Amino acid sequence: PAGINPNYFPAKLWRLVNSPLFRSVRWDDRGEVLLVDQALFESEVLGAGQGPHFFQTKNFSSFIRQLNLYGFHKLVQELAGGEEGSEDEIDVVNDFSGPLLQFHNPNFRRDRPDLLSHLIRLTSGNKAKLAAGQEVTSRPARQIQ
Amino acid sequence: PAGINPNYFPAKLWRLVNSPLFRSVRWDDRGEVLLVDQALFESEVLGAGQGPHFFQTKNFSSFIRQLNLYGFHKLVQELAGGEEGSEDEIDVVNDFSGPLLQFHNPNFRRDRPDLLSHLIRLTSGNKAKLAAGQEVTSRPARQIQ
Amino acid sequence: PAGINPNYFPAKLWRLVNSPLFRSVRWDDRGEVLLVDQALFESEVLGAGQGPHFFQTKNFSSFIRQLNLYGFHKLVQELAGGEEGSEDEIDVVNDFSGPLLQFHNPNFRRDRPDLLSHLIRLTSGNKAKLAAGQEVTSRPARQIQ
DNA sequence: GGCGTTCTAGAATATTCGTAG
DNA sequence: GCTACGAATATTCTAGAACGC
């Protein structure tokens, strides 16, 4: 998407979730929740010898730290028991391999790439600025032209 | 229900009692009392190999501890000894399999999901806050809505 | 070892590291450093269907949280870059399968089971007591006789 | 100086055990 | 007998802090 730095975590996550080449990171049916298959992610994204190595780490926990730093929150898997929409949840969880971790961020939605610029790193400094009502933006990409 | 954390006990209990897939946890006729078949609960909810494992314990007593922590109280079953109206009680108790335990909480009613947010964990700290007249709320959910 | 509660983390870790049945948790050559093969640990200790299931979690991160709570610290692996003695480190790291994580605690040594009783949970309350110079002990095991 | 990675800790709920009432 | 509760540990999710680039 335009306007955000392609080298930073939000842009990388966006490319991952929208890439058909990576099955470990996907959208839920509504395009509002990030689904992650940890085992598959570790092999196809963090594993050795992966061509376009997205991240420098091999530890899944570092990926989780990034998600939290950018304001994502984990959703617990509501399995088989709700009133409405329980079928979807079953599908979501048992899709193809291991259980899927679910993360949510109001500024990370499939149909709203324009919101990506609102994903900021929640450092203590940035949080103080936000509390003071100031705008916080990520460092923009260095455009050639 | 909206506004409560789906990871926590009240939400899980709500899903259980309203799920047609679990027969061990049900409402009484009026939708005001929680009915629990211990033997069935131990096999279908706490038993091994249950896909959607709601709890990490296999001990029924831990489930009871949670009920008490959230303000549920056990109703003693007056077995066929009252004056009139004893048939109802017999029906309630011997519905389909084992004896049904009955628990009550004024904020847990079938037709009032809005009251679920009042179910708070009665730790000593929270009870002190309540005694001091302060509001006590659960850690909020990260709801999608 | 006598005197410590066999249900708590230090005793479980002691049994694991000294058990020939579990290869994922071992001592280093000197018996002073805990070596953990994460992948093997996840399958043989945290995996489903393990007989004497030590922990109720399936997440390796929860195991790490326990190590830190009881005062263990991770040792960074100096990979083949030192001056002398680097062979030992290589052996430690590449012994049989994946890389081995190393953790250290002065009260966790192979030849000193008597020190296990000094492993206490570093909660905020216990840390305050320690800072005040008070003794902190774990809840003792309930002995039958 | 910002971002990514790592290691550790905070804080809330969950689970267990024992016992008061 | 047995319900309810206190208190400790266990588990989970998130955040703090340090460091390198």
Side-chain angles (χ1 to χ4, degrees):
Chain A
I4 69 167
N5 193 315
N7 297 318
Y8 293 167
F9 181 79
K12 292 181 179 178
L13 186 63
W14 182 263
R15 293 201 298 274
L16 271 178
V17 75
N18 290 307
S19 168
L21 299 177
F22 294 92
R23 293 287 293 163
S24 59
V25 185
R26 303 181 297 155
W27 294 106
D28 75 334
D29 291 337
R30 298 177 182 173
E32 298 177 352
V33 174
L34 183 74
L35 306 178
V36 183
D37 180 323
Q38 175 172 353
L40 192 56
F41 186 90
E42 290 175 334
S43 66
E44 78 175 8
V45 179
L46 303 181
Q50 302 317 95
H53 62 292
F54 278 79
F55 308 110
Q56 306 235 358
T57 184
K58 295 179 179 177
N59 302 314
F60 191 72
S61 61
S62 293
F63 175 67
I64 301 298
R65 186 72 191 93
Q66 288 283 67
L67 286 175
N68 286 330
L69 266 177
Y70 280 92
F72 285 79
H73 287 272
K74 186 173 186 176
L75 300 179
V76 159
Q77 310 165 4
E78 303 192 24
L79 296 166
E83 295 149 281
E84 67 283 308
S86 57
E87 302 105 335
D88 290 353
E89 293 159 355
I90 293 178
D91 288 348
V92 161
V93 171
N94 297 328
D95 198 319
F96 62 98
S97 65
L100 295 180
L101 307 177
Q102 306 181 45
F103 292 91
H104 178 257
N105 187 314
N107 291 314
F108 198 81
R109 301 176 49 161
R110 180 171 52 197
D111 58 343
R112 297 295 302 277
D114 58 296
L115 295 179
L116 283 178
S117 60
H118 293 88
L119 290 178
I120 61 170
R121 221 166 163 263
L122 296 173
T123 59
S124 56
N126 281 344
K127 284 192 288 191
K129 289 184 181 177
L130 286 176
Q134 302 180 22
E135 276 294 313
V136 177
T137 59
S138 175
R139 188 165 58 177
R142 197 60 56 181
Q143 300 289 7
I144 303 298
Q145 52 222 18
Chain B
I4 71 167
N5 195 315
N7 296 330
Y8 295 165
F9 181 79
K12 292 180 180 179
L13 185 63
W14 183 262
R15 295 201 296 274
L16 273 177
V17 75
N18 290 307
S19 169
L21 300 177
F22 294 92
R23 293 287 294 163
S24 59
V25 185
R26 303 182 296 156
W27 293 107
D28 74 335
D29 291 337
R30 298 177 182 173
E32 297 177 351
V33 174
L34 183 74
L35 305 178
V36 183
D37 181 324
Q38 175 171 353
L40 192 55
F41 186 90
E42 289 175 334
S43 66
E44 78 175 8
V45 179
L46 304 180
Q50 303 317 94
H53 65 294
F54 277 79
F55 308 109
Q56 290 186 298
T57 183
K58 295 179 179 177
N59 302 314
F60 189 73
S61 60
S62 292
F63 174 68
I64 301 299
R65 185 72 191 92
Q66 287 282 66
L67 286 175
N68 287 329
L69 267 177
Y70 281 92
F72 286 79
H73 285 270
K74 187 174 186 177
L75 301 181
V76 290
Q77 307 169 7
E78 306 184 10
L79 288 171
E83 296 152 269
E84 66 280 303
S86 57
E87 300 105 334
D88 289 353
E89 294 159 355
I90 292 178
D91 287 349
V92 162
V93 172
N94 297 328
D95 198 319
F96 62 99
S97 63
L100 293 180
L101 306 176
Q102 306 180 43
F103 292 90
H104 180 258
N105 188 314
N107 291 314
F108 198 82
R109 301 176 48 162
R110 181 172 52 196
D111 58 343
R112 298 294 302 276
D114 58 296
L115 295 179
L116 284 178
S117 60
H118 293 88
L119 289 178
I120 61 171
R121 240 171 150 258
L122 296 173
T123 59
S124 55
N126 280 346
K127 284 193 287 190
K129 288 185 179 177
L130 286 177
Q134 302 180 21
E135 277 293 313
V136 176
T137 60
S138 175
R139 191 162 53 177
R142 308 296 171 178
Q143 290 285 18
I144 308 301
Q145 69 194 0
Chain C
I4 70 166
N5 194 315
N7 296 319
Y8 293 167
F9 181 78
K12 292 181 179 179
L13 186 62
W14 182 262
R15 294 201 298 274
L16 272 178
V17 74
N18 291 307
S19 169
L21 299 177
F22 294 91
R23 294 286 293 162
S24 59
V25 185
R26 303 182 296 157
W27 293 107
D28 74 335
D29 291 338
R30 299 177 181 173
E32 298 177 351
V33 174
L34 182 74
L35 306 178
V36 182
D37 180 323
Q38 175 172 352
L40 192 55
F41 186 91
E42 289 175 333
S43 66
E44 79 175 7
V45 179
L46 303 180
Q50 303 317 94
H53 64 292
F54 278 77
F55 308 109
Q56 290 187 297
T57 183
K58 294 179 179 177
N59 301 315
F60 190 73
S61 61
S62 293
F63 175 68
I64 300 299
R65 186 73 191 91
Q66 288 282 68
L67 287 175
N68 286 329
L69 267 176
Y70 281 93
F72 286 80
H73 285 269
K74 188 173 186 178
L75 302 182
V76 290
Q77 307 167 5
E78 305 183 9
L79 288 171
E83 296 154 85
E84 67 280 302
S86 59
E87 300 104 336
D88 289 354
E89 293 160 352
I90 292 178
D91 288 348
V92 162
V93 172
N94 297 327
D95 198 320
F96 62 98
S97 65
L100 294 180
L101 307 178
Q102 306 180 44
F103 291 91
H104 180 258
N105 187 315
N107 291 314
F108 198 81
R109 300 176 49 161
R110 180 171 53 196
D111 58 343
R112 297 297 301 277
D114 59 296
L115 295 180
L116 283 178
S117 60
H118 293 88
L119 289 177
I120 60 170
R121 240 170 149 258
L122 296 175
T123 59
S124 55
N126 282 344
K127 284 193 288 190
K129 288 184 180 178
L130 286 176
Q134 302 180 22
E135 279 293 314
V136 176
T137 60
S138 175
R139 188 164 56 179
R142 196 59 54 182
Q143 299 289 6
I144 304 298
Q145 47 222 19

